[in-house]
């Protein structure tokens, strides 16, 4: 059975198409047509002048709707992933913060259970830690931060082979260079995070397989004095390395919009991805206080309860795109690219995800002229925006 999306401006790898349509067969895009002439037998969806864009890809996210991926249950994984799906994330890589060995194993089990499910958006697991700098811990639990020892990470990787798709570490910490080289053998994306590393350590990390900077600008050093001399930090070093990918929390708060624009102007859309780094508090009231006393939601962001640090965001995929365009002065065509095509390429799923193109999954969003999300389709299944469906 065919579905034909008409009546909007279609985002494609070669640019926008006006007056065309997206033809879907089952879970896949069959073709992008340059006409809106009805295809015989096709069920029609009228985008009503919307921007028609690919589904968002989230490669760094901790939870939503009160569910944390560290809860270690399939139910929690589903709850959080489904909330983000309704807000534009059609592909998700659940993230575990610095965790115990046991929590990591539970995360692997939950991810393994969900990947094959037809309606699941989960594509693999992301481990943020535990091999970090305690001084740059931020909201990571310092008591769980540790050195990278092969007897631990080899066991984790053997169990998580094909399930763990990304793993973050601080390259100056004991054992993390060898760790980076080891996990790269399993096609894991290795990323620099929560680090005091400077120019030399960043370049060493690159040689050992690190290719991505986690929540760029956050929990890493900028240019500073070493003795009487000024030296570059991780930020300047990574900006100067043309092939080093970065992800930016584009909620307008974690990184000032001017700095988001600067990173975009330097790296370009090919090397910069947008991410939420969203916590379980995503979807709670704007003045929410965690009953445990750990965190609060205030001013559109999550903070530690003592306000000493940002704990993570409460952003969703649609907010990333709006913020990039409206606050960081990034053209819509590039903002969408950084929420779709760039993370798809970084995570190695570009054969199926990240673009409206024949042969790829039918993951489709509608944004109105104010960039508000109005419609979500995941693998050909409409999960939001039933009002756009009609039959001639």
């Amino acid at each position: 059975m065919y579905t034909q999306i008409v009546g909007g401006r279609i985002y494609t790898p070669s640019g926008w198409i006006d007056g065309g349509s997206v033809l879907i067969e089952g879970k896949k895009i069959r073709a992008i047509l340059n006409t809106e002439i009805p295809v015989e037998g096709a069920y029609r969806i009228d985008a009503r002048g919307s921007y028609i864009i690919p589904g968002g890809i989230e490669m760094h996210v901790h939870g939503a709707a009160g569910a944390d991926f560290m809860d270690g249950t399939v139910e929690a994984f589903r709850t959080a992933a489904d909330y983000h799906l309704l807000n534009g994330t059609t592909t998700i890589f659940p993230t575990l913060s610095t965790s115990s060995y046991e929590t990591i194993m539970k995360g692997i089990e939950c991810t393994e259970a969900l990947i094959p499910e037809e309606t699941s958006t989960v594509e693999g697991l992301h481990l943020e830690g535990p091999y970090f700098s305690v001084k740059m811990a931020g909201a990571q639990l310092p008591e769980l931060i540790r050195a990278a020892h092969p007897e631990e990470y080899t066991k984790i990787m053997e169990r998580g082979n094909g399930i763990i798709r990304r793993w973050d570490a601080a390259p100056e910490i004991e054992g993390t260079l060898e760790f980076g080289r080891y996990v790269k053998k399993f096609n894991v994306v290795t990323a620099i995070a929560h680090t005091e590393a400077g120019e030399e350590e960043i370049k060493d990390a690159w040689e050992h397989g690190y290719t991505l900077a986690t929540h760029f600008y956050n929990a890493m050093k900028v240019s500073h004095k070493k003795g009487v001399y000024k030296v570059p930090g991780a930020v300047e070093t990574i900006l100067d390395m043309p092939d080093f990918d970065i992800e930016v929390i584009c909620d307008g708060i974690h990184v000032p919009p001017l700095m988001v624009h600067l990173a975009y102007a330097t790296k370009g859309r090919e090397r910069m991805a947008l991410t939420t780094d969203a916590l379980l508090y995503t979807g709670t009231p704007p003045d929410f206080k965690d009953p445990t006393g750990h965190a609060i939601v205030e001013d559109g962001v999550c903070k530690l309860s003592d306000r000493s640090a940002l704990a993570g965001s409460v952003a969703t995929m649609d907010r990333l795109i709006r913020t990039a365009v409206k606050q960081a002065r990034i053209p819509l065509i590039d903002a969408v690219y950084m929420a779709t095509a760039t993370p798809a390429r970084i995570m190695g799923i570009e054969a199926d995800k990240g673009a409206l193109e024949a042969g790829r999954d039918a993951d489709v969003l509608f944004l109105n002229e104010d960039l508000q999300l109005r419609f979500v389709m995941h693998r050909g299944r409409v999960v939001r925006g039933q009002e756009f469906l009609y039959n001639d």
Side-chain angles (χ1 to χ4, degrees):
M1 180 178 177
Y2 290 123
T3 299
Q4 186 179 15
I5 301 175
V6 300
R9 194 170 197 208
I10 305 168
Y11 183 100
T12 74
S14 56
W16 296 102
I17 293 178
D18 294 306
S21 58
V22 181
L23 185 64
I24 295 163
E25 184 178 14
K27 303 174 189 176
K28 295 286 186 178
I29 297 172
R30 177 69 178 269
I32 304 298
L33 306 175
N34 288 315
T35 176
E36 293 186 334
I37 295 173
V39 172
E40 185 176 353
Y43 195 93
R44 305 255 288 177
I45 297 176
D46 184 0
R48 303 178 190 174
S50 302
Y51 295 107
I52 304 170
I53 67 171
I57 297 171
E58 179 54 86
M59 57 183 192
H60 184 173
V61 56
H62 297 273
D68 194 312
F69 293 123
M70 288 179 68
D71 292 343
T73 68
V74 171
E75 181 183 3
F77 271 60
R78 276 206 194 96
T79 297
D82 287 350
Y83 182 87
H84 283 287
L85 173 60
L86 289 172
N87 288 279
T89 297
T90 55
T91 302
I92 197 166
F93 292 87
T95 302
L96 302 186
S97 299
T98 290
S99 306
S100 67
Y101 176 85
E102 292 74 21
T103 298
I104 293 172
M105 287 299 174
K106 287 181 181 178
I108 291 172
E109 291 174 8
C110 293
T111 306
E112 185 178 43
L114 287 171
I115 288 174
E117 287 192 1
E118 191 168 313
T119 59
S120 173
T121 58
V122 174
E123 288 285 329
L125 187 64
H126 166 212
L127 300 181
E128 188 184 10
Y131 314 133
F132 286 152
S133 163
V134 173
K135 291 182 180 178
M136 302 296 280
Q140 303 282 322
L141 295 175
E143 63 269 24
L144 292 177
I145 290 175
R146 51 200 184 269
H149 294 302
E151 52 267 31
E152 179 180 60
Y153 64 70
T154 55
K155 286 183 181 178
I156 293 172
M157 203 62 251
E158 286 166 8
R159 175 64 182 87
N161 185 15
I163 301 165
I164 298 170
R165 301 293 297 274
R166 171 181 164 185
W167 202 336
D168 306 354
E172 76 277 15
I173 299 303
E174 178 189 346
T176 51
L177 292 181
E178 293 77 10
F179 155 81
R181 183 164 283 168
Y182 174 79
V183 299
K184 206 70 178 177
K185 297 176 184 177
F186 296 85
N187 294 318
V188 172
V189 176
T190 42
I192 289 169
H194 294 274
T195 177
E196 292 189 282
E199 181 180 9
E200 184 177 341
E201 291 95 344
I202 295 295
K203 290 180 176 178
D204 281 347
W206 174 263
E207 294 299 322
H208 286 77
Y210 290 80
T211 57
L212 174 66
T214 298
H215 45 50
F216 188 67
Y217 289 120
N218 296 110
M220 60 183 63
K221 284 191 171 182
V222 296
S223 176
H224 56 281
K225 268 194 168 185
K226 193 172 184 179
V228 297
Y229 299 105
K230 200 82 166 172
V231 296
V235 168
E236 294 80 15
T237 304
I238 292 167
L239 285 176
D240 189 54
M241 297 173 72
D243 295 331
F244 215 114
D245 294 317
I246 65 173
E247 63 168 25
V248 177
I249 304 172
C250 196
D251 62 356
I253 299 169
H254 274 78
V255 182
L258 184 149
M259 293 169 66
V260 173
H261 184 85
L262 176 62
Y264 159 75
T266 306
K267 283 292 184 182
R269 70 180 194 174
E270 297 287 345
R271 294 292 174 185
M272 175 170 154
L274 306 182
T275 192
T276 63
D277 193 8
L279 300 185
L280 75 160
Y281 310 108
T282 305
T284 60
D287 57 351
F288 179 80
K289 295 183 180 179
D290 188 335
T292 68
H294 175 68
I296 59 172
V297 175
E298 184 178 74
D299 304 321
V301 73
C302 184
K303 306 172 185 176
L304 296 181
S305 56
D306 63 1
R307 297 178 173 84
S308 62
L310 297 179
S313 90
V314 291
T316 49
M317 183 60 61
D318 54 335
R319 178 174 166 186
L320 300 182
I321 295 171
R322 282 195 303 276
T323 302
V325 174
K326 295 183 175 234
Q327 297 184 39
R329 298 174 289 121
I330 295 172
L332 177 61
I333 195 167
D334 289 347
V336 172
Y337 194 95
M338 293 188 293
T340 59
T342 303
R345 190 263 308 161
I346 290 172
M347 299 306 294
I349 57 172
E350 66 270 37
D352 294 311
K353 305 287 185 178
L356 300 182
E357 190 173 48
R360 304 210 198 191
D361 286 354
D363 297 341
V364 185
L365 310 180
F366 295 172
L367 301 179
N368 68 13
E369 62 180 10
D370 198 37
L371 306 185
Q372 298 291 329
L373 183 66
R374 290 292 178 259
F375 175 91
V376 179
M377 172 184 282
H378 173 240
R379 293 178 181 162
R381 176 176 63 100
V382 177
V383 296
R384 175 174 174 175
Q386 300 288 336
E387 66 271 20
F388 288 92
L389 279 64
Y390 75 94
N391 269 318
D392 288 336

